[in-house]
Structures are given as structure tokens and as C-alpha cells.
Amino acid sequence: MRILVISDTHGDDRDIDRLLEVVKPDRIYHLGDSQNDCRYLTAVATCPVEMVRGNCDWSSDMPNNVVLNVGKHVLYLTHGHKESCRSSYSGLIKAARKVGADYVLYGHTHQPEIEEVSGITIINPGSLTLPRTYERRGTYCVLNVDKNGDIEPVIRYVDMLPSYK
């Protein structure tokens, strides 16, 4: 199974069609600050879409977080602003432990990362449209889930979309 993880698109859906065409995800997780491009994403996606509310999704009725079982793992999806993700991982780790998650997927910082902290894998896909990286290149994450239920997360740049076979 292949899961596309994106965040912080801020109403700009220009790369969504290309991502869906190339990545061919079985599921999509949007980690907030979609600012209404969630309507477009859910309209064009041919797979299930999970979305959480970001700090810029003011009038949204999306949940603040979602807990999912994927393979042999439990994932906690959040935007991260309510867990004070800019200052440290402690809020993210505390929230994950509370629900029994061993993965945290969050956005908010617009900076891609994959870290393991205290036995919890923390993933931020960065931002497709407003990256805050040195290169200023949009990023996303693909979670490859194998038949044993193990997850391999990979951060990719939008301008280097791979060809999947």
C-alpha cells in the first residue's frame, strides 16, 4: 500500500493532479492548512482521504486529529499547532502516547523531517506550496506499507516526482 502525505497547501492545488497521477496512492492524508483545497482533493482523489484541521482552516469542521491503524502501526495525524510542535516534540509525543500511537504525522512548520524520538517515529511532509526549507522546494511524503505491515516513509521534492511502476 502507498499513502501520500501532504500538508500546508494553503488553498493552492496546482501540484495535486500531478502527485496523484505519479504517486498513485491507495490513501491520502492531508495534515491541515488546506484552506478549502480539501474540496478539490476529495473530488479528484480515487482513494480514501483523511484530513485534519490546521490553524488556518478557520471555518472547517474537520477534526483536530485522527488516529488510524495502518499495517502493524498506530498513526496519530495532527496539524501540530495544538501540540506546540514549533518548540519541541514533547507535545506530539505526549499526544501519541495517550492514544497508543507509534507514528506521529504533523505539519505546521512547512519543514520536512523524519525523526525517531523515544520510540515514536515523527514525520512532517513539509509543504507542497509554501516550503520553509533552504532550497525553497515543495515537499511531500510517501508511506510505503509492505505486506508485513511495516512502514517505510520517504520525503520527496515536488519538482522531482518519481515514476512508480
Side-chain angles (χ1 to χ4, degrees):
M1 173 173 39
R2 183 176 299 124
I3 302 169
L4 172 63
V5 183
I6 59 177
S7 188
D8 296 282
T9 49
H10 290 277
D12 186 342
D13 57 22
R14 68 177 168 232
D15 290 315
I16 297 215
D17 290 327
R18 208 169 71 165
L19 276 174
L20 296 178
E21 180 183 323
V22 174
V23 176
K24 296 180 179 24
D26 300 299
R27 295 183 190 169
I28 302 169
Y29 302 157
H30 194 300
L31 304 176
D33 282 358
S34 62
Q35 291 179 260
N36 293 324
D37 59 6
C38 59
R39 290 185 189 124
Y40 181 76
L41 177 61
T42 55
V44 298
T46 57
C47 62
V49 178
E50 289 286 345
M51 303 182 100
V52 296
R53 181 182 179 168
N55 61 298
C56 293
D57 296 320
W58 304 289
S59 62
S60 170
D61 60 354
M62 291 183 286
N64 287 320
N65 56 66
V66 172
V67 178
L68 300 168
N69 291 304
V70 175
K72 57 185 178 183
H73 300 279
V74 178
L75 281 58
Y76 177 75
L77 279 58
T78 184
H79 186 59
H81 64 293
K82 292 192 177 277
E83 293 88 356
S84 303
C85 67
R86 285 196 193 275
S87 59
S88 76
Y89 293 135
S90 63
L92 295 170
I93 292 169
K94 181 178 178 182
R97 285 200 172 123
K98 186 175 182 179
V99 298
D102 57 333
Y103 275 75
V104 172
L105 282 64
Y106 80 104
H108 192 56
T109 66
H110 298 222
Q111 296 174 322
E113 65 180 331
I114 300 172
E115 298 284 335
E116 186 168 329
V117 179
S118 302
I120 296 175
T121 302
I122 299 173
I123 300 171
N124 188 323
S127 173
L128 284 177
T129 57
L130 296 170
R132 293 183 184 150
T133 60
Y134 176 75
E135 302 97 349
R136 298 285 186 215
R137 295 163 67 195
T139 56
Y140 63 100
C141 181
V142 174
L143 302 179
N144 294 301
V145 185
D146 70 18
K147 60 185 169 191
N148 297 320
D150 292 314
I151 297 173
E152 177 196 2
V154 180
I155 299 286
R156 300 211 185 265
Y157 290 104
V158 173
D159 61 355
M160 297 179 69
L161 285 169
S163 296
Y164 285 101
K165 295 180 173 52

